[in-house]
Amino acid sequence: MECAARGFGSPCVGPPTRRCGLCSAVAYCSVSHQTSHWSYHKEECERLEEQMRRVDLLNEFPFTFTEESTVHICQKQESRCSFLSRRELHHVGMWMYECKCGDSAGFSAYDSFKNDGWHLPSSSCPCRGPLSPVSRQLCSWTDYFEWRKIPLDSPVALLLHWPLTIYHAIQAIGMGNLTPQISDELRIHYLGPQRELGQLVVFAELQALFPGLCISVELVGPDVPQHMDGEMISLCRYSPCMVKECECNSLSKTPNPGNQSARSSVVTLQLHRGLYHDRYSDIAKDSRPPHIVIAPNAGIAAYPSWLPTIELIKEKKVPAVFTDYCEEACHLAACCIKSITGQSLSLPIGLNPFRQPIAVEESPLFIPCYSNCFIFAM
């Protein structure tokens, strides 16, 4: 947490201990900073006060570890490191990117598949296909865990929020009945991947969520390492569990990056380094237009580079779904989109039922933040 007036004028004089008496969402290091910041804060204060009333809803998850991963982290009684350590998942495989310890770890397409297992028993992770296809729309983590027969003490939702958010985005914009619309292929342009780059194998779950479809995901963003630019990855199996005798470990041992295997797989990922508006023409040369653009934790108001990307999306008339860590970030993004396109959102800001069930540490507000917390579309 930092002083809400940091950078607005004089340097901060100490920790931000003075919370706004109206919204309680922001804090200041001194009376002078609070006073000087009021001309700006008064525009958002009432809105933040309304958002603070929904804190309990943000923290509502069905898991046995919910209080530990929400309230305790927000109150600094717990950390992501300690949460993962208690489950013997700290700095292990694709879990290493779920705490600050993994921030400096480099991403490699090949290395990520050497450590692609769940590091969990077979009963606690989706290491194989579902026992039955999805018979009804999944609307919550409870629905998903019941369908996949996973107990609610399993932490797999911390990683599965990526593919489940894609699933929810498609349902939310009315593309749920996919077959008549897209034949046998679903094409997704996925913008701004970051920690997902070390967790790519979780996208194999898309084959369970969209059975019978070939799913092509183009991941585009400046955080894609140079050595991964253009990499095509075939996900031929689900990420395996830690039980060597499980049938998931008797299948093909390693997904093979490469164009030939990717063509025959159910889910293919292709990585592109750079900004979407700069790389779109290159991507379009080799593939058909996307059915949907998805940008997780987009931060539209924070990055000017979104302006030409939003203009491109408007020009191509492709449904685009965005998420962000908190409702306020989504509100600011909606204002930016309207100023650029002259249009309001096609899907109003709403809470994502498949947001990651562990709070973000060091949130800029007293409102809890979660990865992929809120969703909206243009």
Side-chain angles (χ1 to χ4, degrees), residues 44 47-48 51 326-333 365 367 374:
E44 64 180 8
R47 189 170 64 246
L48 291 175
Q51 294 173 25
C326 67
E327 189 175 357
E328 182 63 12
C330 296
H331 169 81
L332 297 175
L365 300 171
I367 303 172
F374 285 88

Side-chain angles (χ1 to χ4, degrees), residues 224 226-232 259 270-273 279:
V224 173
Q226 189 66 54
H227 70 272
M228 293 176 75
D229 187 21
E231 193 76 62
M232 184 175 284
N259 292 335
Q270 186 158 21
L271 304 170
H272 307 273
R273 177 179 173 83
R279 297 303 309 269

Side-chain angles (χ1 to χ4, degrees), residues 203-220:
F203 288 95
E205 188 64 9
L206 292 172
Q207 63 188 303
L209 295 164
F210 301 107
L213 295 177
C214 291
I215 302 163
S216 172
V217 186
E218 308 283 345
L219 297 100
V220 191

Side-chain angles (χ1 to χ4, degrees), residues 19-26 28 34 37-53 328 331 365 367:
R19 291 174 68 165
C20 173
L22 297 176
C23 70
S24 295
V26 299
Y28 300 91
Q34 184 171 7
H37 191 247
W38 176 246
S39 60
Y40 172 85
H41 179 60
K42 67 181 179 182
E43 301 295 329
E44 64 180 8
C45 187
E46 185 176 350
R47 189 170 64 246
L48 291 175
E49 182 181 8
E50 181 63 28
Q51 294 173 25
M52 284 289 286
R53 296 194 184 105
E328 182 63 12
H331 169 81
L365 300 171
I367 303 172

Side-chain angles (χ1 to χ4, degrees), residues 68-76 78-80 358-359 361:
E68 180 185 351
S69 66
T70 60
V71 176
H72 289 180
I73 284 184
C74 291
Q75 296 177 349
K76 299 185 179 181
E78 185 76 76
S79 70
R80 284 176 170 248
I358 185 168
E361 294 177 289

